[in-house]
Amino acid sequence: MPLEDVPDPAFAQHLVGDGMAIDPTVDELCAPCDGVVLAVHRARHACTLRTASGAEILLHVGVDTVGLGGEGFTVHVQDGQSVRAGDRLLSFDMDLLGRRARSLVSMMVVVNGEGYSVDGRRTDREVAVGDPVMEVLGGDTTVAGPDAPEDAGEDAGTERRAVRLPIAHGLHARPAAALANAAKAHAGPVSILSDGRTANAKSVVALMGLGTALGDELTVTASGPGAASIVDSLAALIDQGLGDPVVTVAAAPAVPTSAAIPPPAEVEDAGPPFAAGAEVLLKGTIAVPGIAVGSAVRLFRTAVPIVEEGRGPAVEERRLRDALAGVAARLAIAAARTPEHTAIFEAHRTLIDDPELVEEALARTRAGKSAEWGWSATMRRHAETLSRMADPRMAERAADMRDLEQQVLEVLAGRGPRLRLADMVEGAIVLADEFLPSDLADVAPGRLGGLCMAQGGPTSHAVILAASLGLPTVVALGSQARRVPDGAPVILDGNRGELRVFPPPEAMTATRDAASLRAARRTENRKSAMLECVTADGARIEVFANLGRAADTAGAVAEGAEGCGLLRTEFLFLERQSAPTEDEQAAQYQEIADALGGRPLVIRTLDVGGDKPLPYLPLPREENPVLGLRGVRVGLRQPELLRTQIRAILRVTPAGACRIMVPMIASPDELRAVRAMIDEERAALHRVEPIEVGAMIEVPAAALTADRIGAVADFLSVGTNDLTQYALAMDRGNPHVAAQLDALHPGVLRLIRLAVTGAGRFGRPVAVCGGSASDPMAAPLLLGLGVTELSATPAVIADLKAFIRTLRLDDCRAVAEAALEMDSADEVRRLVTERWPEL
C-alpha cells in the first residue's frame, strides 16, 4: 500500500523517508534486497539495511510497536551482518501484535533520501517474498556510514547544548525522523552525543542506532554560521518530546534505596466494633442506587507480610515471573467467565504484561530486594501517581493497580484467591475497604444484596461492574465501616448513600417490605418503560441514559432510555499508549447511534486533565490540577486531538443523530472557539447539515453567566457532580469530605435555577446529566426549577419515568421554591420526603 495510507503521520507524511508499506499476512520479515545490517533497534521492532549503492532502508514492523519493548519479536541477524534478499531478519507474534499494537501495517522506507529516489512501487495488491515491489535509484557504491558525524573540526563556530531525552521509548523512528528533518535545516554539520556514542543528527538510522532511552542526556553539537540558533532549536524540540508524549524524567523506572520505597499503607485504627442495641448511621457517596436489607459480611483484606531482602536476584526474578504468569492465567479465566466485561480484565492483563512495570520491579530484585518488595513498591508508586490525578476516573484507576498488587502478593505468599463474592450467602451485604474488579468477576445477578466500601469512588471499574449487576453500592464510608461486625443486621440505602447498622427490627421489616414492593413496582414499571415520559399534567420530560461504552447501549434502551444524554468518550482514550484514530472513534460512535435506533445521541468531547492523566497527552504538572487544565481547556490546548474527535462525530449517520456537548465551559469565548472548529471541520467534510452544540454547566461561573453562554449554545446540560464539588469546595474524590457532598444543597439548586433562567432568555433547553439525575428525590426539584431532560444511570430509568408520570409541575415548582429557602441538603431531602413519602 502507499505510505499515505499508513496510520502514522510520521510515515504517511514521508517525514521518515520515501517508500511503501505492507500489511503482513505472515509472521516473518525478510530482507528485501542484498545489503548489510546497519542496526537492529533495541525494541527489536525495526532494523536498517544498507545496500551496495549506499541507500539505507528502514524496515519497521507495525505502528507504535516500540512500546512493546521487544515483546513478541525475535531477531535473527546482528549489526554488521551481510544478508541476501529473502534472508529472514525478524519474526514476530502476529496475534500479540494484533492485540497490542495500533496496526500491523509495516513500512519500508529510504531514510537517507538525498541522492536517492523511489520508483516502480507495486501497491494495492498482494505480494509475496521475492516479488519486486519498488526500485531505489541513485547513489554509488562508496557511501560514508551514518554513524560518523560530518567532520567539522573544532572551529570557533561550534556550539553545544545538553538536554535530557523526555520520551518513553527513546529515539525510535518517529522522533528520530522529526529530529533529523529539523537538523537538515542547518547547512553545516550537526551531531548528537549520547553515552559516549556520536551520530549524525541528519540521519534517522544513525539516531536510532544510538539506542537511547528515557532520561538519557543528549549533547547537541553544530558548527558553522547559525550554529547557536540550530542547537537551541533542536534542544527545544527534544525537550518538547519531538512529537511523542513527554514523560517526567524523575518518574522513570529506577532502583530506589530502601528509604525511597514507600512503606506499606497503614490501616487506620477505626476503633472497637459497633455494639448491638444502638443504631449507627454511616454516610458515604451514592455509587449505584437501590436499597438492600440483610446481614453484613466483612471482606477486609489482611496484609501480606513483605520481607525486604531477597534470596538472590535469580531466585526472586523467577518467583516474580511465575506469580505474574499465575495472575495472568486467573485474569484470562475471569474474562472467559464474563465475556461482557472482557475489556476490563484484558486491561488488567495488559498491566500485568506492561514491560515498564515488570522491568521496574525486576530492577529492584536485581538490587537485592525480594519479589514481594519489588512488586509492591512498584505498584504502590504508580497507584499513588494515579490517585493524585484531577480527573476522578483516572484517579480511580489506582484501584486497578492495588488490585494487581494484591493478587500478585497473594500468589507469592502461596495463598489462593480470597473468599469469592460469588460464593457468599445469598443476599449478603458485603463490606470492604475497596472492591476490586477481580472480586466481581463471576458474581451472578441477584446473588448479593449490596456492596459497601470504606474507600473508593463512584466511577471505579468495580462500581461499573456492580451497576451492571444491579447491586446497590455506597462508597467512601470512611474507616468507621471497619467497625461493622460480621453478621450485623444492616440497611443499605444506595439512594441516599447511607448504611444503617443495627437498625431496630421494625425498621428492618419495614424496609424489607418496602424493598419487596419496590421490586414488584419495578417489574410493573418496566412494562411501560418504552413509553414517552409525560407528567400527570401533560408536560413532556425526556429521560435519557448516561453511557460509558458501546456495550451498555442495548441495555439502556431496554430500560426505557429515550436517547443518550451523555456519552462519556473517555472509554476510547483510556488504557492505551496512543490516541484513538478518527476511524476508531467514528466506528464506536456509529455503533452506539445504530444501537439507539434513531434516538438522540449527545456526545461529550474528551473530558480529562491534570497531572498527565493520559500517557500520550503531555500536560504540565500543576499545583492544583482540579483547577487547571481540564475539559475544554485541554481540547483548546491540544486542538488536533479535539478536531479528530469532532470529525469522527460529524461522520456519524444519519446527520441529525448526534449532538456535541463541550465539558467544563466557563465562558462564551471557549464555546465560540469550539464552534469555529466544528464549522471548519464540517466544511472540510462537505457536510451541509448543521449539528447542535451544547455546553456543560459544571463551573459556578457558567451557571451565573448562563444568559451569555446560552447565546452561543444550542442547549445546556448541568453536570451536578462537578458543579457540586466546585460550589461546596469539596473534592468528590476525597473520602474525608465526599459524604458531605450533596447536589440537593440549596446553593447548588440556586445555581441550577440561574442556569435555567439564563438559558430561557434564548429558549434553550436545560438538561441534567450528573448524579442527581439518577436520584429520584431530585427529580421533582429539577423539574420544578425548569429542567426538561434528565440523563440517568440506565438501571433507574424505568422507575424514574414511572415516578415522573405521577408528578404535576405546579407541585414541583412549589417544593423547589421552598427548597431554595432551606439551609442544608438534609432539610431539602426531608421536605421532598414529606411531600412524596413513597420515596
Side-chain angles (χ1 to χ4, degrees):
M1 63 177 67
L3 276 182
E4 290 76 11
D5 291 348
V6 173
D8 184 324
F11 286 100
Q13 297 171 20
H14 294 241
L15 299 179
V16 180
D18 195 9
M20 61 181 294
I22 295 176
D23 192 356
T25 57
V26 295
D27 59 1
E28 290 184 344
L29 171 68
C30 296
C33 58
D34 297 349
V36 175
V37 178
L38 280 183
V40 176
H41 193 276
R42 62 186 181 87
R44 294 181 282 186
H45 68 299
C47 70
T48 306
L49 303 183
R50 182 189 293 139
T51 69
S53 66
E56 294 165 4
I57 314 295
L58 171 65
L59 303 161
H60 192 290
V61 178
V63 176
D64 287 344
T65 44
V66 64
L68 297 176
E71 184 181 3
F73 289 95
T74 302
V75 178
H76 302 288
V77 292
Q78 58 187 356
D79 293 1
Q81 180 177 335
S82 295
V83 295
R84 302 296 298 257
D87 287 352
R88 187 170 61 164
L89 304 176
L90 309 172
S91 55
F92 47 92
D93 185 333
M94 289 188 68
D95 289 337
L96 184 144
L97 266 63
R99 293 194 310 269
R100 304 270 297 278
R102 184 174 169 190
S103 171
L104 278 170
V105 170
S106 301
M107 288 65 69
M108 178 167 60
V109 296
V110 181
V111 291
N112 61 336
E114 299 87 348
Y116 298 91
S117 63
V118 176
D119 197 7
R121 298 176 185 83
R122 279 76 159 178
T123 58
D124 300 315
R125 65 184 181 91
E126 291 188 7
V127 295
V129 173
D131 290 352
V133 291
M134 73 179 195
E135 300 171 14
V136 180
L137 308 175
D140 54 48
T141 57
T142 55
V143 180
D147 289 330
E150 300 165 77
D151 185 14
E154 289 293 323
D155 58 38
T158 298
E159 298 285 344
R160 293 184 180 82
R161 297 286 184 278
V163 60
R164 292 255 174 219
L165 187 62
I167 52 181
H169 306 299
L171 291 174
H172 60 99
R174 187 165 47 233
L179 182 56
N181 286 328
K184 289 172 185 175
H186 182 61
V190 186
S191 65
I192 301 291
L193 172 67
S194 174
D195 195 26
R197 299 183 63 188
T198 302
N200 180 355
K202 300 179 184 181
S203 166
V204 174
V205 174
L207 292 172
M208 292 174 64
L210 287 173
T212 53
L214 172 65
D216 283 356
E217 183 176 285
L218 307 183
T219 300
V220 184
T221 302
S223 299
S229 176
I230 192 66
V231 163
D232 288 341
S233 175
L234 295 179
L237 284 173
I238 294 169
D239 193 52
Q240 293 163 12
L242 295 163
D244 269 21
V246 172
V247 178
T248 304
V249 174
V255 183
T257 64
S258 299
I261 298 176
E266 295 293 331
V267 175
E268 183 180 345
D269 183 11
F274 295 127
E279 182 177 3
V280 177
L281 177 65
L282 301 180
K283 297 199 70 173
T285 298
I286 299 168
V288 181
I291 294 178
V293 181
S295 299
V297 176
R298 292 168 53 88
L299 201 62
F300 294 99
R301 289 183 184 268
T302 57
V304 174
I306 297 177
V307 175
E308 180 176 353
E309 297 304 321
R311 291 173 286 174
V315 172
E316 299 302 330
E317 177 170 348
R318 184 175 64 254
R319 293 181 66 234
L320 180 56
R321 289 195 184 278
D322 287 348
L324 293 172
V327 173
R330 286 186 188 178
L331 292 170
I333 294 170
R337 283 177 180 159
T338 55
E340 67 275 22
H341 300 304
T342 295
I344 291 176
F345 296 107
E346 283 298 328
H348 280 204
R349 289 181 68 188
T350 300
L351 286 174
I352 279 286
D353 292 337
D354 186 286
E356 292 191 18
L357 289 177
V358 174
E359 183 55 36
E360 181 176 340
L362 290 175
R364 298 179 196 275
T365 65
R366 292 172 193 135
K369 307 304 179 188
S370 68
E372 290 89 345
W373 183 272
W375 181 251
S376 183
T378 298
M379 298 303 282
R380 276 186 278 115
R381 186 176 75 80
H382 287 280
E384 178 65 21
T385 299
L386 286 169
S387 67
R388 288 196 299 264
M389 292 184 178
D391 187 323
R393 289 173 301 279
M394 293 302 298
E396 287 163 7
R397 295 295 82 82
D400 299 341
M401 306 297 283
R402 289 190 288 269
D403 184 353
L404 292 173
E405 177 196 359
Q406 191 70 22
Q407 289 189 64
V408 172
L409 289 177
E410 287 170 348
V411 172
L412 285 167
R415 298 182 185 177
R418 68 173 176 170
L419 181 62
R420 298 191 317 154
L421 289 176
D423 297 331
M424 295 276 179
V425 61
E426 190 168 343
I429 296 174
V430 191
L431 293 87
D433 283 318
E434 191 169 30
F435 289 103
L436 307 171
S438 57
D439 294 326
L440 293 158
D442 50 2
V443 175
R447 176 73 186 177
L448 301 178
L451 303 178
C452 300
M453 302 190 212
Q455 303 167 9
T459 60
S460 68
H461 270 154
V463 169
I464 291 171
L465 294 173
S468 71
L469 295 168
L471 279 177
T473 303
V474 175
V475 299
L477 284 164
S479 62
Q480 293 297 299
R482 282 183 159 267
R483 299 181 61 187
V484 179
D486 250 331
V490 293
I491 297 173
L492 171 62
D493 191 339
N495 299 326
R496 298 171 181 264
E498 295 176 351
L499 180 68
R500 297 173 65 182
V501 187
F502 292 118
E506 57 270 22
M508 293 280 287
T509 301
T511 306
R512 189 176 283 112
D513 291 344
S516 297
L517 285 173
R518 277 193 173 93
R521 194 186 310 149
R522 175 171 172 74
T523 301
E524 286 300 310
N525 291 342
R526 293 193 72 181
K527 294 177 182 178
S528 60
M530 304 307 291
L531 300 176
E532 283 190 345
C533 185
V534 180
T535 64
D537 51 356
R540 176 76 169 98
I541 304 297
E542 294 180 302
V543 180
F544 289 178
N546 294 338
L547 300 176
R549 54 184 180 159
D552 296 336
T553 312
V557 172
E559 292 290 341
E562 300 171 14
C564 170
L566 168 63
L567 176 62
R568 300 181 176 100
T569 57
E570 292 72 42
F571 76 98
L572 282 164
F573 294 81
L574 298 175
E575 293 161 354
R576 54 187 297 155
Q577 295 302 309
S578 60
T581 65
E582 180 183 328
D583 287 344
E584 285 181 272
Q585 294 187 59
Q588 288 286 309
Y589 303 149
Q590 188 66 59
E591 180 182 345
I592 295 169
D594 292 344
L596 286 171
R599 298 170 180 87
L601 171 57
V602 180
I603 300 178
R604 182 178 68 185
T605 56
L606 180 63
D607 186 15
V608 295
D611 199 21
K612 291 194 291 293
L614 298 177
Y616 52 85
L617 183 64
L619 294 175
R621 187 173 296 277
E622 298 176 288
E623 190 71 25
N624 191 350
V626 77
L627 299 179
L629 289 170
R630 292 197 61 194
V632 68
R633 299 167 190 170
V634 174
L636 295 176
R637 181 184 174 94
Q638 303 282 341
E640 277 311 309
L641 194 69
L642 179 55
R643 285 181 181 274
T644 299
Q645 186 170 30
I646 289 169
R647 288 193 299 273
I649 296 171
L650 290 171
R651 287 169 52 185
V652 175
T653 59
C658 294
R659 307 168 192 169
I660 295 176
M661 186 162 66
V662 187
M664 293 296 291
I665 289 291
S667 72
D669 285 344
E670 291 173 330
L671 193 60
R672 287 192 189 98
V674 177
R675 265 196 176 279
M677 288 187 189
I678 293 170
D679 290 342
E680 290 168 7
E681 297 302 335
R682 186 161 63 91
L685 292 172
H686 306 292
R687 171 174 160 153
V688 177
E689 302 86 356
I691 187 168
E692 290 190 28
V693 181
M696 286 197 72
I697 305 299
E698 303 168 277
V699 181
L704 294 168
T705 58
D707 56 333
R708 309 300 302 162
I709 294 172
V712 186
D714 295 309
F715 63 92
L716 303 183
S717 188
V718 181
T720 52
N721 298 348
D722 270 326
L723 183 64
T724 302
Q725 78 163 347
Y726 285 125
L728 301 183
M730 293 179 181
D731 180 358
R732 59 191 174 110
N734 184 332
H736 300 293
V737 297
Q740 302 171 51
L741 278 169
D742 194 326
L744 299 195
H745 188 287
V748 179
L749 296 177
R750 289 186 180 211
L751 288 172
I752 295 173
R753 182 174 69 169
L754 284 171
V756 172
T757 302
R761 286 184 55 184
F762 301 93
R764 310 299 192 211
V766 177
V768 170
C769 63
S772 62
S774 301
D775 182 357
M777 201 168 288
L781 296 172
L782 296 174
L783 270 56
L785 293 172
V787 171
T788 58
E789 176 198 310
L790 300 176
S791 191
T793 301
V796 307
I797 287 176
D799 293 340
L800 184 61
K801 292 175 77 171
F803 177 49
I804 291 172
R805 292 189 185 107
T806 70
L807 300 176
R808 293 183 175 275
L809 284 189
D810 285 344
D811 295 338
C812 294
R813 292 187 188 105
V815 173
E817 287 298 322
L820 296 176
E821 302 304 318
M822 298 291 175
D823 291 334
S824 69
D826 287 341
E827 289 184 14
V828 171
R829 290 189 178 275
R830 281 196 294 270
L831 174 70
V832 175
T833 304
E834 289 169 3
R835 176 61 185 81
W836 291 281
E838 65 270 28
L839 292 173

